[in-house]
Amino acid sequence: MKRILSLAAMFAVLSYASSASAELKLGGEAAVRLRDDFGNKRSAVGVKTSTEDQYFQYRVRLKPSADLGDGYYFKALVQNENPAGGWQGIYPNNTEQYNLQVSQFYFGHNSAESHWALGRLPLGSLDNPILDLTLYAIPGAGPLSTAASSAGSSPTLYAVDTPISTNHFDRLFGFNYGVKLGDGELNAVLVNFDNVSTTTADRGLFNDGYGFTAIYKTTVGDVTFAPQAYVTLTHLADNRSPYSLGAQAFIPVGKSKVALSGFYTADKNSYRGSSFDYSGYIFRLKGESGPVLAWIDYNKTSDDHNNKDYNNTFVWAQYKVNVHESATGTFSLTPTIRYRASGSETHAGVTTQDNLFRTELYATVTF
């Protein structure tokens, strides 16, 4: 807490440092949630296990920004990145330390016809599952799971249940350029996934992890269409080089909103002793009406290299109660339900299950 207050004081001092400097604005949010977990697994040999757990967590996010004039700006997000999603659990006798890091930062320029941004860019992955599918089409095989496994732990991350937002903190380092094109807008992002390569034998300077994604948004009547594609330009840290493509549609229904998403991914390559031959897809139906927000995901992946198929279904439903709202901030309560049903089946008919049901209650203030 002392560190949080110190950062807030620093931002306040900087915002009044000089009349000639850009005005630094500071917003943010603080939240506490109560979560109940109910897990149910069945292994390949038929062993069943069930788990239950209840725990409190908290999270603080600070959002400094500055208008530099003539369309130039700076934005950042400061939060704790030690636990997944920035949600800190309670240690024995409250001995946990809550450290803040720069999670996102980016600067750029906006004009009437185009815009650009450079830095650790926000992804908005809660509304767009293309990278969830791209990195975790095979459960537990993405770059984060690979790194954690080598460190002695083996988390299983799935293409559903928001792994990019929760475990990758909803950002990537890259350069974004957007321009008005025809009746819509084209956005393209060059992404640097990693600088972990220890050799330049294959591509010299460009032997690290690079990717490229582009999305075009256009409106036909009241419906917004957004086709999108992602291509791995080199290889990711786990030696994969997947590509993904698909589209989203956003449909207003009275005062409500409906969003449809569908993406396909595939990777067939051999690289440095690793071989991949899989393809998969994800479909999402999402609806929002007043305080109610809900969506359902379905993902299936066929891994021909390992002779195994994966199926994942995920449901998220929440109801937001605005307790207080003013020009300076809000206070809300949000009961939430999350359910993931995951399973695998080998081509020989051996099956597994890994299901997780969660109830959550969020208490959030924004300022």
Side-chain angles (χ1 to χ4, degrees):
M1 183 58 68
K2 290 182 178 179
R3 184 163 183 167
I4 296 173
L5 294 174
S6 297
L7 281 168
M10 179 189 72
F11 287 132
V13 170
L14 288 174
S15 65
Y16 295 101
S18 170
S19 59
S21 63
E23 180 183 1
L24 184 66
K25 298 180 179 180
L26 179 63
E29 67 179 47
V32 173
R33 74 179 178 191
L34 172 63
R35 169 182 278 183
D36 291 333
D37 284 1
F38 304 91
N40 185 279
K41 294 184 178 182
R42 190 186 74 236
S43 69
V45 294
V47 177
K48 297 181 179 180
T49 57
S50 297
T51 58
E52 295 182 3
D53 195 10
Q54 181 180 81
Y55 45 99
F56 280 95
Q57 295 175 305
Y58 60 90
R59 180 173 72 180
V60 176
R61 289 175 161 182
L62 302 177
K63 301 177 181 180
S65 64
D67 183 352
L68 309 181
D70 297 325
Y72 289 91
Y73 66 90
F74 165 80
K75 293 183 179 181
L77 171 63
V78 179
Q79 67 173 350
N80 185 5
E81 288 203 350
N82 292 321
W87 289 97
Q88 177 65 58
I90 310 301
Y91 288 8
N93 301 315
N94 285 205
T95 55
E96 73 275 0
Q97 294 183 343
Y98 195 79
N99 299 313
L100 293 176
Q101 299 94 26
V102 177
S103 181
Q104 299 172 9
F105 87 93
Y106 52 104
F107 52 86
H109 181 264
N110 293 323
S111 68
E113 298 297 323
S114 65
H115 63 267
W116 62 265
L118 172 65
R120 265 187 163 183
L121 306 172
L123 295 175
S125 59
L126 281 178
D127 297 317
N128 186 339
I130 185 171
L131 281 179
D132 294 320
L133 176 68
T134 301
L135 295 187
Y136 294 101
I138 299 178
L144 188 64
S145 293
T146 302
S149 180
S150 65
S153 58
S154 301
T156 301
L157 300 180
Y158 298 85
V160 296
D161 203 359
T162 66
I164 299 301
S165 176
T166 301
N167 299 89
H168 292 255
F169 301 98
D170 198 35
R171 41 88 171 140
L172 281 174
F173 185 86
F175 175 75
N176 166 251
Y177 181 76
V179 62
K180 289 186 177 180
L181 186 64
D183 295 328
E185 182 179 79
L186 175 66
N187 270 281
V189 185
L190 178 63
V191 178
N192 182 198
F193 276 99
D194 63 76
N195 293 154
V196 301
S197 177
T198 58
T199 177
T200 59
D202 296 331
R203 292 180 176 85
L205 290 174
F206 301 102
N207 200 49
D208 295 307
Y210 291 95
F212 176 82
T213 184
I215 183 170
Y216 180 74
K217 284 189 176 182
T218 187
T219 301
V220 179
D222 293 332
V223 180
T224 299
F225 293 97
Q228 184 175 0
Y230 164 81
V231 179
T232 305
L233 299 178
T234 54
H235 287 85
L236 304 181
D238 56 359
N239 294 336
R240 291 184 300 130
S241 56
Y243 67 90
S244 302
L245 53 90
Q248 294 183 288
F250 304 93
I251 309 166
V253 181
K255 295 182 179 180
S256 304
K257 303 175 184 177
V258 175
L260 304 174
S261 303
F263 293 100
Y264 169 86
T265 192
D267 187 6
K268 297 183 180 182
N269 81 91
S270 297
Y271 181 66
R272 292 183 181 172
S274 301
S275 296
F276 304 95
D277 184 3
Y278 68 84
S279 62
Y281 57 83
I282 190 170
F283 293 115
R284 172 177 292 180
L285 171 61
K286 185 174 185 179
E288 184 176 359
S289 180
V292 178
L293 172 66
W295 77 79
I296 181 171
D297 288 344
Y298 177 71
N299 157 244
K300 181 174 182 178
T301 300
S302 297
D303 184 358
D304 292 332
H305 178 73
N306 294 301
N307 298 317
K308 185 181 289 189
D309 296 332
Y310 302 95
N311 288 279
N312 301 292
T313 302
F314 177 71
V315 176
W316 176 302
Q318 69 178 46
Y319 187 92
K320 184 177 181 180
V321 180
N322 289 317
V323 179
H324 168 75
E325 187 171 356
S326 70
T328 55
T330 67
F331 171 53
S332 63
L333 297 174
T334 310
T336 302
I337 293 175
R338 299 164 66 173
Y339 175 65
R340 175 180 51 78
S342 300
S344 67
E345 182 176 2
T346 68
H347 293 182
V350 179
T351 63
T352 65
Q353 288 184 352
D354 182 8
N355 303 333
L356 181 61
F357 177 72
R358 283 172 165 163
T359 62
E360 299 172 322
L361 178 61
Y362 296 77
T364 306
V365 295
T366 65
F367 51 87

